[in-house]
């Protein structure tokens, strides 16, 4: 098996064969297995072995990618030098680090870096192009969408500030507090604006309820804005594609 | 009453008469009656009789459909042989099976198959064509919509994983756990992303709340995407219809 | 003051003056005052007087409308005969009936009929034309929207049926029931589909939670459909108006 | 430093330099610091100093703006007289007032006026133009959107009135009340219509649940209307911009 073949398997191209697909599935499975310790309550002895195995796979994958860096980058020899500093290579390297938790548990948090490797799932389902389409819509409308975001954050801040001062810090009837801190109020305002509405914190006074009524009604408009912007932009994209 | 007439009654055509409508309503009523045991807490003796009656109706309906299979399929005689292997015939057969619960309760679960027969309701209200329109929109946009679905599932997985590790397994203040298992976290993430927000599980720590704030804000965009795609596609359909 | 003038005041025309506006506001105030007994917990003596007063106003309004029926209907004398059988006249008459509760409390429920008179508020704010626009959109898309409604109801029924059977009738851990009746399950399914998610009933088992996760994800599409249909239709309306 | 320079720094123009940005950030920080006492539970001694400092900054800012009023208004000398009566100047003056709480706590509420100064954040992020775009959309569609608002309010009132009378004032099973007052019912109806659904108040009777099911299903249409109107209007705006 020469280096060209390995490069083809690692980097799926348009003319993909079953080995590419198998390799991608194998890598995603390995990532999921390596994340297993994060999905259980208590540590288990078997994780020692899964960690060892998945780390080995990650190291081999890393070395294979490094070793074929020149082929995968238009045969530029300098790719061998620049590869370790590319974003994906750093992510790959960081996702190997948690294995050191076998020695020192402090590196456990690095395991979350492996989540970034899950973007490979997009490649398996062949939806990278669609995701790029969404990204291009978000990018094209970045000014409008970021304005909506700033407005929404401002709105959350103002609502939270009003509610935090309107609600009694100690409710005379129930003897309980609605908000324990200003952060609680911010959390409540976000949960209300996005219409999630858990209900773990609710305004208990009439004034607080009135403000939250106003804010949830007004919030519909805030929510409708990004929705409308994305719809309009997507429709535009559709039309342009047809005209071509 | 000849076979042609029966075929006309069973398979409602555009020139439907009141007998067709009556037959459809009768079948839907029978299906609903046969589902009654699933809608009550305790079993009741009267269900023995409703089960017997509805099963008889289903058997007769099945035989009538089989007996007129050739007429309903452009007079091809081979339809007699292929009919029992068509999807609708298998559903019809499976929906007769639960009657054996009169003998053995283990078949009770097959009763859910009868729900599939409820698609007949669409025929009664004459909305099959509209449902086909929705289906065609979903089919035409299947790549985009499935991309959104994969993204949403990925998003749910990542949010759940973060929250599951961020939330303390035993809350020092309340002595309660937010999530009892990783599945709980997945359930929470789905309920939050879809803005249902039951509130049976809520983040209790500040870090968890911060992550859930970010995720619910970002979630609006995830929700807005399918909405926008469907709107744009429907608008497209409307315009194409007018141009014709 | 002749009959023509009264007719002008009662039925606001495009060339409305301040007396019309004052009359409309006066009537809406009277309706709201007459609804006051429905907005408090305990009956109060003052309601006897408000009821008497508002009923008198309703009776005078009714008589004035009857007395000017011919003028308000292109001077057709037959309007005197047909007026009491028009929809608005029947509503007006029914809204007088609750006054008999002064004699017999059984008529109290008729008071809700007065809510129908609140449509007069639309006239005050001059939004009748906009409401007609919405109505025309809903009417034009009635086939699609009713299809969505039937689909949503079917969806609610199926989800409720599955959840009702999947959830244990008596939870082994908490000793509580999730649903007390099939109606509870229907209520839960509706609250979930519309993403309200009160949280007074939540699935407690893993299977139930899995079904509700699937259903809430799928529910987004069900919700997006009417939204998309209305948006597309409104956009269509806007364009047609400009082309004219 | 002459007056022209100060005017340039205070009123950011298109050719903004780093001093303008720094000044804007400094003012926003001062506003946030001056709001700190509203974000904590207990008063703290340090707030006495932050209040003093921020008030000094506000006074200087106010004087600088007054002193350069003529330059910032096309060199009209009359601007010195009219400036104190402009909306922004009144807001600026009112935001200085809370400092008197150092003497008399009754002025504490005026601190909320400072929130209005946060609109300066929009200037920092350069999104004033986008906000004006949203405002113009809302203004152009003001008739339709206000109609939707009136309809929604009417809808909330009617739903609340029905639920308030349908729900027992004292539940025979739990011994609890669903609503303590009509205002509670209004709050519930708003929370339901906007699909926030906290769950702190839920209908407990079957009739109440049935009404709330109907209302939440119907509510989707009410929510879809403003969303559709905004989307359509934004799309219109996009197209007009391209045609130019």
């Amino acid at each position: 098996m020469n280096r060209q073949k390995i490069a083809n398997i690692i980097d799926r191209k348009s003319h993909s064969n079953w080995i590419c697909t198998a390799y991608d599935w194998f890598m995603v499975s390995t990532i999921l297995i390596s994340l297993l310790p994060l999905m259980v309550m208590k540590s288990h002895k078997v994780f020692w072995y899964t960690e060892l195995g998945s780390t080995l796979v990650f190291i081999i994958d890393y070395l294979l990618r490094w070793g074929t860096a020149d082929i995968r980058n238009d045969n530029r020899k300098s790719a061998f030098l620049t590869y370790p500093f590319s974003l994906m290579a750093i992510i790959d390297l960081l996702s190997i680090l948690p294995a050191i938790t076998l020695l020192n548990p402090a590196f456990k948090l690095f395991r979350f870096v492996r989540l970034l490797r899950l973007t490979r799932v997009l490649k398996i389902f062949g939806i990278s192009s669609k995701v790029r389409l969404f990204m291009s819509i978000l990018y094209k409308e970045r000014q409008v969408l970021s304005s909506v975001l700033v407005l929404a954050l401002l709105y959350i801040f103002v609502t939270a500030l009003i509610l935090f001062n309107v609600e009694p810090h100690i409710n005379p009837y129930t003897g309980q507090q609605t908000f324990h801190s200003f952060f609680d109020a911010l959390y409540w305002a976000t949960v209300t604006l996005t219409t999630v509405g858990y209900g773990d914190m609710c305004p208990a006074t009439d004034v607080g309820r009135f403000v939250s009524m106003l804010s949830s009604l007004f919030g519909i408009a805030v929510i409708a804005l990004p929705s409308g912007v994305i719809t309009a932009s997507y429709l535009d994209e559709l039309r342009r594609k047809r005209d071509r």
Side-chain angles (χ1 to χ4, degrees), chain A residues 109-121:
Chain A
L109 273 174
F110 281 102
R111 198 167 271 139
F112 282 105
V113 177
R114 289 177 181 169
L115 282 173
L116 294 172
R117 297 188 81 159
L118 276 177
T119 50
R120 200 177 294 225
V121 172

Side-chain angles (χ1 to χ4, degrees), chain A residues 52-225:
Chain A
L52 204 72
S54 58
T55 307
L56 270 176
V57 172
F58 291 153
I59 291 173
I60 292 168
D61 183 64
Y62 186 76
L63 293 177
L64 285 179
R65 281 172 191 280
W66 201 351
T68 59
D70 56 337
I71 299 175
R72 293 185 296 114
N73 288 285
D74 315 320
N75 285 310
R76 281 185 287 103
K77 287 290 166 201
S78 63
F80 282 124
L81 287 170
T82 57
Y83 176 73
F85 304 103
S86 68
L87 184 66
M88 283 313 286
I90 292 168
I91 289 173
D92 284 3
L93 193 62
L94 283 174
S95 70
I96 294 169
L97 277 182
I100 319 179
T101 51
L102 299 177
L103 309 173
N104 183 344
F107 284 86
K108 205 186 161 189
L109 273 174
F110 281 102
R111 198 167 271 139
F112 282 105
V113 177
R114 289 177 181 169
L115 282 173
L116 294 172
R117 297 188 81 159
L118 276 177
T119 50
R120 200 177 294 225
V121 172
L122 305 179
K123 237 162 72 182
I124 289 186
F125 289 102
I127 63 175
S128 303
S129 68
K130 295 297 165 191
V131 172
R132 263 198 298 276
L133 171 68
F134 297 152
M135 288 298 166
S136 79
I137 286 178
L138 294 184
Y139 182 78
K140 214 173 58 185
E141 301 285 342
R142 69 192 176 285
Q143 284 193 310
V144 177
L145 289 176
S146 66
S147 305
V148 173
L149 189 65
V150 170
L151 275 186
L153 292 179
L154 208 66
Y155 180 76
I156 287 170
F157 179 75
V158 171
T159 320
L161 198 69
I162 294 175
L163 250 286
F164 184 67
N165 284 280
V166 154
E167 285 289 311
H169 292 322
I170 286 142
N171 193 314
Y173 302 102
T174 62
Q176 281 191 310
Q177 290 173 290
T178 308
F179 306 121
H180 291 265
S181 67
F182 184 62
F183 180 78
D184 275 17
L186 283 174
Y187 167 72
W188 169 84
T190 311
V191 164
T192 300
L193 180 74
T194 56
T195 77
V196 172
Y198 288 126
D200 51 348
M201 296 169 195
C202 308
T205 60
D206 281 0
V207 186
R209 280 175 181 168
F210 186 70
V211 173
S212 79
M213 275 160 74
L214 284 183
S215 101
S216 62
L217 277 174
F218 183 72
I220 291 171
V222 178
I223 296 291
L225 279 173

Side-chain angles (χ1 to χ4, degrees), chain A residues 9-12 16-34 54 57-58 61 65 117-127:
Chain A
I9 288 168
I10 289 172
D11 257 18
R12 193 208 284 251
S16 67
N17 56 1
W18 70 268
I19 306 183
C20 295
T21 314
Y23 187 76
D24 279 344
W25 274 112
F26 174 69
M27 286 307 295
V28 167
S29 310
T30 312
I31 295 165
L32 287 177
I33 285 169
S34 76
S54 58
V57 172
F58 291 153
D61 183 64
R65 281 172 191 280
R117 297 188 81 159
L118 276 177
T119 50
R120 200 177 294 225
V121 172
L122 305 179
K123 237 162 72 182
I124 289 186
F125 289 102
I127 63 175

Side-chain angles (χ1 to χ4, degrees), chain A residues 229-243:
Chain A
V229 168
I230 289 172
T231 305
S233 195
Y234 182 73
L235 197 57
D236 221 52
E237 202 73 23
L238 274 186
R239 207 162 301 150
R240 204 174 301 166
K241 216 176 258 173
R242 203 176 325 132
D243 290 356

